[in-house]
Amino acid sequence: MLAYVVLLGALSIIGVAYGHGTGSETLPPIEMDGELVTLVVSSSQEEGVVRVDIAMVRHITGEAVPNADFHITARHGQTQIFSQEFHRSDGRIIFDLTDGMEYTSPESSGGGFFGLLDPGSFKVSGPGLAGGGLYSFDVSVLSADGYEPADPPLFESAVSVPITYDDVMDGGRWGDQPMHFITYYDTLHGRGYDPETGRVFFEMPFQWDAAVIEQIETVHVEFTIPNGFGDMLASDMEAHVNGISTPPRTVAIDDYFMDVRTVHIVLPRHLLLEMLGATGGDSMEFDVGAAPRTPYSAVTSNGEYRVLVDVGPSGLAAGREAAVSFNITNVFLRSMNVEAGYTATVTRGGALLHSQSGVSNGEVTMRFPIPGDASGPALISFQDINGNDLADAALPVFIDPVPPEVPQTPAVPPWIRDTVQLWTSGDIDDGAFAAAISYLIQQDIIHMDTMPQVGGDGGPIDDWVRTTAGWWVDGLVSDAEFLAGLKYLVGRGVIAVAP
């Protein structure tokens, strides 16, 4: 049997709890036939069925208003499910929503022993109806307890049932990473991770309208990050919605589990109203990632300490010296450093790269060389913090490979030696040599970082330039020395180069 909240018992007072992002909702009361009444909507979910329980109750006592006639228009997300009238002698109506190939009209399941033991429910089927999301119900009260209002009041209600998604993301250098998403408002589309920016992104339908937002308690989305996904293990995360940066308090990280950590994005009603002036449309586009210059974070296995690790703005690279800083802090107060003994190790593929022990009471920096062949995922581990063999923590980090050497394009290509040799041996005259070199400079085949100022009107080529050119052909002087001679000739106007 489905479990659900019974809302018909006598309550001392009904509190206001808005839905549109929560699993239940009590709408603001209205006056009807001289007394205050309200609508209470709750939801529950079991495999294959979402149950929604709607009751009109007296605001003060919480008792159901009997003999009620409703007109209800229901929607799942943006899709209308049905629009129909209902009569309920007990003032309460239950819908059991199940998956089906197409939408069906509500069908009564009866009421048990001649309808006396159980108010029964209405079965409704449709594509994805049992999958969760936002369920909206516009309830017009046509009559209640013998009273028929001339202008039937309308309650606009909605409740959210969690929708879950299991994805495998391309984590770039970390490989494929399983991630679990839960939305407590509406469906998520376009879920992904960008390895270049280190950001998680997704989109959700949302009507940016003040009247809609006023009915919302909160919009809540969460996703889990495996504790082996190093680039996403930051101590602080930030979120943008439709390009708008949200306050830090809207993103919370639950990192007290050994295998995964959960990132919560919670947007309360007042923040949505503030954002309304800067955005609009019919969707929320989320972009979530590590806050700038924030350290990595891990909680010890006994939940007593938090270790903050900083590998510097340029990270770790093979063949270079590493500088890894860390702080051991109170698990809840990250600004409160703890004086504690520790043993720290850095390993890569089972090989020990560094080990040190000491007492931490503030920032500690470990400096050690990284071998040139040690690129890839590595692990920074902390053991026996403050002498407690249960106070361990580990953080995966990535060691970048040695950057490949970029071959330098020679300022003077080697094949030009043949042309220069023809000139130095007297096989071509100075004019032909100067014209050839002029063409090669203007085509940037012979590259000069700076061009000299022309301060002459030509003339013969100095003997020392010919001698230097001959030495260059024989490999006795550098390209720079040969270029110095060519620059000298350009400056004298012997080699003409267009400005």
Side-chain angles (χ1 to χ4, degrees):
M1 176 181 293
L2 287 170
Y4 54 87
V5 180
V6 178
L7 299 166
L8 302 183
L11 303 176
S12 59
I13 187 168
I14 298 291
V16 176
Y18 294 95
H20 289 75
T22 59
S24 63
E25 178 171 45
T26 301
L27 292 172
I30 63 168
E31 184 174 343
M32 199 167 88
D33 196 24
E35 67 174 332
L36 292 176
V37 298
T38 189
L39 199 74
V40 178
V41 184
S42 66
S43 64
S44 61
Q45 184 180 37
E46 289 191 5
E47 186 173 354
V49 182
V50 167
R51 170 164 284 188
V52 178
D53 191 334
I54 301 174
M56 190 171 72
V57 301
R58 306 184 195 281
H59 180 61
I60 301 300
T61 66
E63 296 174 345
V65 180
N67 297 316
D69 290 290
F70 306 111
H71 184 279
I72 300 178
T73 298
R75 294 180 300 279
H76 182 213
Q78 308 298 315
T79 303
Q80 181 172 304
I81 308 171
F82 63 81
S83 184
Q84 187 173 318
E85 290 187 13
F86 301 86
H87 172 79
R88 303 303 288 171
S89 60
D90 58 3
R92 173 190 180 196
I93 186 167
I94 299 171
F95 296 104
D96 284 338
L97 309 177
T98 61
D99 290 335
M101 296 295 293
E102 57 185 23
Y103 292 106
T104 63
S105 298
E107 179 181 344
S108 175
S109 64
F113 185 66
F114 299 104
L116 298 177
L117 300 180
D118 189 297
S121 62
F122 287 86
K123 306 293 185 182
V124 185
S125 295
L129 271 187
L134 183 67
Y135 299 85
S136 304
F137 298 88
D138 296 340
V139 181
S140 295
V141 182
L142 306 179
S143 67
D145 201 14
Y147 174 72
E148 298 184 11
D151 185 14
L154 174 65
F155 290 96
E156 295 178 315
S157 173
V159 291
S160 296
V161 174
I163 308 175
T164 62
Y165 306 89
D166 288 300
D167 297 312
V168 176
M169 300 293 183
D170 176 9
R173 61 188 186 176
W174 295 98
D176 290 344
Q177 296 291 330
M179 295 184 66
H180 181 71
F181 290 78
I182 303 178
T183 169
Y184 298 89
Y185 186 82
D186 209 336
T187 54
L188 301 182
H189 306 283
R191 303 177 304 279
Y193 172 76
D194 185 349
E196 295 297 322
T197 62
R199 315 283 291 187
V200 173
F201 54 87
F202 49 88
E203 184 177 349
M204 180 175 67
F206 186 81
Q207 194 63 42
W208 289 95
D209 180 88
V212 173
I213 294 174
E214 286 290 353
Q215 294 295 317
I216 294 173
E217 179 71 20
T218 185
V219 171
H220 179 190
V221 180
E222 65 184 58
F223 58 87
T224 62
I225 301 169
N227 276 343
F229 196 174
D231 287 348
M232 292 295 290
L233 303 185
S235 57
D236 290 300
M237 306 285 278
E238 63 176 8
H240 294 85
V241 177
N242 291 5
I244 302 171
S245 179
T246 64
R249 65 180 180 277
T250 62
V251 183
I253 302 174
D254 179 0
D255 56 0
Y256 301 102
F257 297 95
M258 295 299 295
D259 298 328
V260 299
R261 60 183 59 190
T262 303
V263 178
H264 300 266
I265 302 100
V266 181
L267 308 175
R269 182 192 313 123
H270 70 84
L271 177 60
L272 296 172
L273 289 171
E274 292 175 9
M275 296 171 64
L276 181 60
T279 189
D282 56 5
S283 69
M284 282 187 176
E285 296 179 1
F286 290 81
D287 172 9
V288 187
R293 292 297 301 129
T294 186
Y296 298 111
S297 170
V299 173
T300 56
S301 51
N302 66 346
E304 186 175 359
Y305 305 105
R306 182 181 299 278
V307 183
L308 303 175
V309 175
D310 190 350
V311 297
S314 57
L316 304 177
R320 298 179 182 172
E321 183 179 73
V324 178
S325 301
F326 67 88
N327 293 67
I328 300 174
T329 73
N330 180 281
V331 68
F332 299 113
L333 302 175
R334 292 183 304 175
S335 61
M336 182 183 294
N337 291 312
V338 174
E339 183 175 357
Y342 68 87
T343 297
T345 60
V346 183
T347 57
R348 161 78 181 109
L352 181 65
L353 302 182
H354 181 70
S355 177
Q356 75 177 51
S357 300
V359 177
S360 165
N361 189 16
E363 184 175 273
V364 177
T365 299
M366 301 187 292
R367 298 185 182 276
F368 55 95
I370 301 178
D373 59 353
S375 62
L379 195 66
I380 302 176
S381 303
F382 299 86
Q383 298 89 27
D384 301 332
I385 295 178
N386 210 22
N388 187 338
D389 60 4
L390 297 179
D392 299 338
L395 273 167
V397 293
F398 200 89
I399 300 175
D400 293 323
V402 177
E405 293 187 8
V406 179
Q408 298 294 319
T409 302
V412 184
W415 56 266
I416 294 177
R417 293 180 189 273
D418 295 338
T419 301
V420 177
Q421 188 174 27
L422 290 174
W423 172 62
T424 58
S425 63
D427 293 327
I428 62 174
D429 61 19
D430 289 357
F433 171 74
I437 297 298
S438 173
Y439 173 80
L440 295 173
I441 291 174
Q442 294 188 83
Q443 297 301 312
D444 203 32
I445 297 172
I446 293 178
H447 178 70
M448 292 186 177
D449 293 332
T450 58
M451 295 299 294
Q453 294 290 327
V454 178
D457 54 2
I461 298 178
D462 302 72
D463 289 340
W464 71 266
V465 176
R466 188 185 305 271
T467 300
T468 302
W471 289 342
W472 176 73
V473 169
D474 294 334
L476 300 177
V477 298
S478 67
D479 288 359
E481 291 171 290
F482 175 61
L483 283 174
L486 297 184
K487 285 185 179 182
Y488 169 76
L489 296 179
V490 171
R492 279 191 50 210
V494 175
I495 297 177
V497 177

